[in-house]
Amino acid sequence: MNSVYLNKVSNLTGSPLNCPESDISRIKEEIAGSLEAISYQTADIRGSTVILKPNLVRPNPRLIPASSTDPRVVIAIAELCSDFGAREVGVGENPGFEYPAREAFEISGLTALLKKRGFKTFFFDDGEWVDIPNPAGRLYRNIRVAKPVMEAGVFINLPKWKTHMLTCISLSIKNLLGIIHDDQRMLFHRNDIAEKIVDLAQVRVPDLNIIDGLWAMEGQAPFHGVSIRDYNGLAVSTDMIALDSTVAEWMGFSISEIPHLMIARERIWNGVDHPVNVIGPEKDLLKRRFKRPVLSSAGQFPGFRCIECGVCNGCLSAIRHSLDKLAFESDLKLYPVSTIVSGRPMCNEQTLDEWEGNLILFGNCASEFQFYDRAKRRKGCWIPGCPPHVLDLFNLLEKLRD
Ligand code: SF4
């Protein structure tokens, strides 16, 4: 039977921005206890090369402290592996499309903390990659994976306990996006992201997964969610599906709301429910209904008329991320009125006759609108992509403001 350990860690005094030794000792103690509780063989770590994979998605710890794996957890587990006799312990990540890992490590504070203790850092984007055949894949038959992950004797996944705009939850399976090459990362970043994540889950299965919920995040995560300070949750298992399913339920989600979990259960568990033994003395203190992320932008941003036609989650999520970022960083009143159209056109051609302000056609599906009104389309612009990158819209809106 799969075991999942969930517990609320007591007596912590630090934060993602401050890493006291007392917190590290306390977290080490908690993790050591959890490994014993789930019968994890720590002997596997002795003499091995260990790679830890945190979630460092475009970190911004001063303003958004709960989006990345807490440095206290990373350091505690690195030290624990060392105590267990690991030959070498390294921490690696590819933290976002075209976003340098070196910068993510620096901003998150990990560069200094790891260096001081003699642990290695792996900037996957600057390193070597290997092509791995993936015969069980539905979207990727070959996946380009960071070489240190494939070569590690023990691979430990350190995801963040948070919601996610595109996939409802982040957690363990989704964290594997940070081990693949950028050339493949943004492919299938639409409704089919659920199948993509399950493809990834079969390439290099982590030996252990430890979800950091010291500060958790709800709502518009990963970039503009709300931090849940001192939630102090940790969740541990060797099985990602059992772990994510359990934590999702603890967050108030039904598993059927989360397509990638349903698909993982269908494809990896062969549609058979596996019993899960959930343990942890204070696990029930972590039960909480997390705020759901909202994907639509329609009617929600004054001055921006968002017309969502035959559109999928890829464009919806990219637009919402851009507008959340704009609202978070600036005053929306400073921007000229704009109409943002996404998705395949509706039957009613009046839509474009009535646009307000700047016209922005977002994504490949919306390109068809260009042919509707040739006289007026000069006033508009089209952002190609399927979906376009979040920053494409953000940067364009910034330009229109100037
Ligand atoms: S361009 Fe179309 S298919 Fe592609 S992400 Fe946007 S709405 Fe979805």
Side-chain angles (χ1 to χ4, degrees):
M1 184 187 292
N2 291 310
S3 291
V4 169
Y5 180 90
L6 286 179
N7 207 21
K8 192 166 177 82
V9 191
S10 55
N11 300 324
L12 298 179
T13 57
S15 76
L17 293 164
N18 142 33
C19 202
E21 289 301 327
S22 56
D23 279 14
I24 292 174
S25 306
R26 183 67 199 90
I27 296 164
K28 281 172 71 174
E29 193 182 11
E30 186 68 34
I31 302 281
S34 73
L35 297 182
E36 208 178 313
I38 65 168
S39 306
Y40 179 78
Q41 297 301 316
T42 54
D44 293 349
I45 292 175
R46 197 175 310 128
S48 295
T49 302
V50 179
I51 288 284
L52 311 181
K53 159 63 178 85
N55 181 330
L56 302 181
V57 57
R58 295 180 183 265
N60 186 355
R62 302 217 166 268
L63 293 176
I64 310 169
S67 67
S68 294
T69 306
D70 197 307
R72 290 174 290 171
V73 173
V74 179
I75 297 301
I77 295 162
E79 285 195 358
L80 204 54
C81 290
S82 215
D83 296 349
F84 288 144
R87 182 156 55 85
E88 183 180 90
V89 181
V91 181
E93 165 70 313
N94 183 24
F97 182 69
E98 293 187 345
Y99 182 80
R102 190 178 294 274
E103 194 174 315
F105 274 81
E106 194 64 47
I107 292 174
S108 67
L110 277 173
T111 304
L113 289 167
L114 292 167
K115 191 170 170 199
K116 187 173 148 199
R117 290 164 170 82
F119 298 120
K120 280 184 88 166
T121 43
F122 290 95
F123 308 128
F124 290 159
D125 52 342
D126 268 353
E128 290 182 78
W129 298 87
V130 278
D131 288 319
I132 307 295
N134 189 35
R138 284 195 180 153
L139 300 177
Y140 297 106
R141 288 301 164 94
N142 259 286
I143 302 196
R144 187 161 295 173
V145 179
K147 198 171 180 188
V149 171
M150 296 312 297
E151 288 184 340
V154 176
F155 172 40
I156 303 182
N157 192 14
L158 301 183
K160 189 73 194 168
W161 193 315
K162 64 186 175 188
T163 50
H164 192 281
M165 179 118 48
L166 190 50
T167 54
C168 291
I169 53 164
S170 193
L171 311 181
S172 339
I173 305 179
K174 168 120 188 1
N175 196 34
L176 298 178
L177 265 179
I179 66 170
I180 64 166
H181 194 275
D182 272 2
D183 285 352
Q184 293 186 318
R185 187 171 182 132
M186 292 305 289
L187 295 174
F188 317 118
H189 222 67
R190 310 166 297 198
N191 288 17
D192 46 6
I193 191 169
E195 295 283 2
K196 157 172 146 176
I197 295 171
V198 178
D199 276 8
L200 293 181
Q202 299 172 86
V203 178
R204 175 58 170 101
V205 180
D207 301 288
L208 183 63
N209 306 277
I210 301 174
I211 302 181
D212 156 37
L214 298 189
W215 285 30
M217 190 185 248
E218 61 184 352
Q220 302 300 94
F223 302 121
H224 300 102
V226 176
S227 301
I228 305 172
R229 299 164 67 103
D230 301 320
Y231 178 65
N232 291 339
L234 280 177
V236 182
S237 183
T238 51
D239 188 291
M240 289 189 291
I241 303 174
L243 181 61
D244 287 6
S245 301
T246 305
V247 173
E249 285 182 339
W250 250 247
M251 295 164 82
F253 287 95
S254 152
I255 295 167
S256 61
E257 289 178 82
I258 302 161
H260 70 266
L261 274 184
M262 294 304 288
I263 293 169
R265 295 164 83 92
E266 175 203 40
R267 287 175 55 187
I268 301 174
W269 279 6
N270 297 319
V272 178
D273 255 345
H274 289 204
V276 178
N277 180 27
V278 184
I279 39 187
E282 299 207 299
K283 59 183 185 302
D284 288 339
L285 295 179
L286 296 169
K287 281 192 174 162
R288 169 192 171 113
R289 190 179 190 282
F290 277 57
K291 273 189 210 129
R292 271 51 177 165
V294 177
L295 200 53
S296 171
S297 303
Q300 306 208 34
F301 296 91
F304 294 89
R305 185 167 173 234
C306 297
I307 302 177
E308 296 167 353
C309 304
V311 57
C312 81
N313 291 351
C315 277
L316 287 178
S317 145
I319 293 171
R320 181 73 203 216
H321 273 314
S322 304
L323 295 178
D324 279 341
K325 180 172 166 63
L326 212 65
F328 185 77
E329 294 179 8
S330 313
D331 180 354
L332 291 184
K333 289 194 201 91
L334 299 173
Y335 293 81
V337 169
S338 296
T339 295
I340 302 167
V341 182
S342 56
R344 300 287 300 276
M346 295 186 258
C347 295
N348 183 354
E349 293 185 16
Q350 293 300 308
T351 308
L352 286 195
D353 288 341
E354 293 170 1
W355 89 70
E356 294 168 49
N358 298 295
L359 174 67
I360 299 167
L361 303 176
F362 189 85
N364 290 356
C365 286
S367 70
E368 285 186 33
F369 279 106
Q370 294 186 87
F371 305 108
Y372 276 26
D373 191 334
R374 288 174 177 276
K376 286 183 178 171
R377 77 177 190 197
R378 278 171 293 150
K379 292 185 188 166
C381 54
W382 170 48
I383 302 179
C386 182
H389 193 269
V390 172
L391 292 177
D392 293 345
L393 177 59
F394 178 85
N395 292 337
L396 174 67
L397 292 171
E398 287 288 7
K399 207 155 46 167
L400 291 173
R401 186 180 78 159
D402 295 338

